[in-house]
Amino acid sequence: KKEKKKIIMNMNMNSVFRAAAAQFKSPEPVLTHAQRVCRLYRRSLKLTFSWAFFRDLYIQEAEKLRAEFDANASLDPNSRKAQLLVENGEAKLWEMQHPDPYVVSYAPGGTSFMRNPTLPNKIVYNFDVPEGLPEEKFVNPDMTPVRQGEKGTVGAVLVDFATKTMS
């Protein structure tokens, strides 16, 4: 009896947990057909650059990709064929993912990311900063300016190198 009661309790606990988690889970965004096609095309171009790194080869592959998209541009977005093409394209994109995708050099995970950050004026001028120099501004690790209220103004910015994002 104890084992049966334990199993029932775990099932109830799982359903309660699922109900609590469902309150905080945001629904998936509903995208229009045009948005799905644009995102598929953009991600396909980025993926193509990861596989065909040399510029001339990339341009050839991008032209082939554009021809595929243009060939079906006249289809009605509500037709089953158009929806099937997008679904097949997303499945193919998933299959063809690169194990080490190309990352812009100055982005997190890139080769030049935080390679040579500029030194503060206090260090450069040995704490005797001359008057007339422009005021130092905080920059993010990707060298974009920090806006008021962002985490960079408070202190450290954490970079997740697995997802290559800043937080």
Side-chain angles (χ1 to χ4, degrees), residues 18-156:
R18 281 192 216 109
Q23 293 176 355
F24 297 100
K25 190 174 182 184
S26 60
E28 287 191 27
V30 179
L31 301 175
T32 65
H33 178 75
Q35 287 174 322
R36 286 181 68 192
V37 171
C38 287
R39 288 182 182 192
L40 177 63
Y41 181 66
R42 182 178 168 91
R43 290 187 318 208
S44 299
L45 283 176
K46 288 183 176 185
L47 182 66
T48 301
F49 192 67
S50 291
W51 285 107
F53 189 74
F54 296 109
R55 197 71 172 165
D56 55 345
L57 182 60
Y58 168 72
I59 290 172
Q60 290 173 2
E61 294 299 318
E63 287 173 352
K64 290 179 192 175
L65 184 66
R66 182 63 189 203
E68 283 184 55
F69 275 82
D70 286 342
N72 299 306
S74 61
L75 289 176
D76 178 35
N78 297 326
S79 69
R80 181 66 189 141
K81 184 176 181 182
Q83 293 172 1
L84 193 62
L85 282 169
V86 172
E87 290 171 8
N88 290 343
E90 289 171 345
K92 185 177 178 183
L93 186 73
W94 181 257
E95 290 173 11
M96 296 295 294
Q97 281 187 340
H98 197 280
D100 187 23
Y102 176 76
V103 178
V104 180
S105 64
Y106 54 81
T111 54
S112 297
F113 177 68
M114 289 295 290
R115 179 173 286 174
N116 297 318
T118 55
L119 296 172
N121 285 338
K122 290 180 182 177
I123 302 297
V124 173
Y125 295 104
N126 197 19
F127 292 94
D128 187 25
V129 181
E131 290 184 29
L133 285 179
E135 186 178 319
E136 288 185 302
K137 295 181 180 178
F138 289 104
V139 291
N140 288 315
D142 62 352
M143 303 312 240
T144 58
V146 175
R147 293 181 195 92
Q148 190 62 28
E150 281 186 337
K151 293 183 181 184
T153 58
V154 177

